Amino acid sequence: MTVLAVSSCASPAFGEPQPIGWNDLVPSGWPDRDPLDGRDISNLSDQDPEAKRLYAILREYLDNAPVVEELHGRLISIPGYVVPIDFFSGTRQIKTFLLVPFKGACIHVPPPASNQIVLVNNDQKDSYFPNDPEIPVRVSGLLTIDHIESDLAVSSYRLDASSITAYGN
């Protein structure tokens, strides 16, 4: 009986990681509005001042996307694509990266909403990383809510990786 009582009070951070998907990081009902009020910006030139103004409004909305509070402090596992930020000194081994839901996010296209970007801290030099950035990985670890701005994007979540493995295959 004592074992059952202790395990039922245990922190959600212990045990097997809970597999989640990218939709699990988005609160129900969000997006809650169209930040551009229906304006079509597809015909505007990138240099157009109106395009720049509207893009700034959109970025503000996406960079401050709401989070799912219940996930804070949970041990989770999520698939995604790696966007390197920092490497272990003197190596090409990735130490810090953004985990994103689709190929090319934060590189070839504007970044997704901040609740669709996870900053991953990887303390393991021997972690698995594919040679091809178009190959997804599965990252497991402790998820926390943490609004972080990097040179590439704003993330609303941080994941301290306990394992990084190939995804799919």
Side-chain angles (χ1 to χ4, degrees), residues 7-18 70-76 141-142:
S7 60
S8 67
C9 296
S11 164
F14 296 107
E16 288 296 311
Q18 171 190 3
E70 295 80 20
L71 291 174
H72 182 76
R74 294 281 177 101
L75 188 60
I76 63 105
L142 184 65

Side-chain angles (χ1 to χ4, degrees), residues 80-84 94 97-100 107 129-130 133 135-137 139 164:
Y81 295 88
V82 173
V83 179
I94 301 168
F97 61 94
L98 299 176
L99 189 69
V100 295
I107 297 174
F129 285 100
I135 297 174
V137 297
V139 183
I164 301 168

Side-chain angles (χ1 to χ4, degrees), residues 84 92-94 128-137:
R92 295 297 300 157
Q93 286 296 101
I94 301 168
Y128 166 82
F129 285 100
N131 290 329
D132 183 349
E134 295 191 5
I135 297 174
V137 297

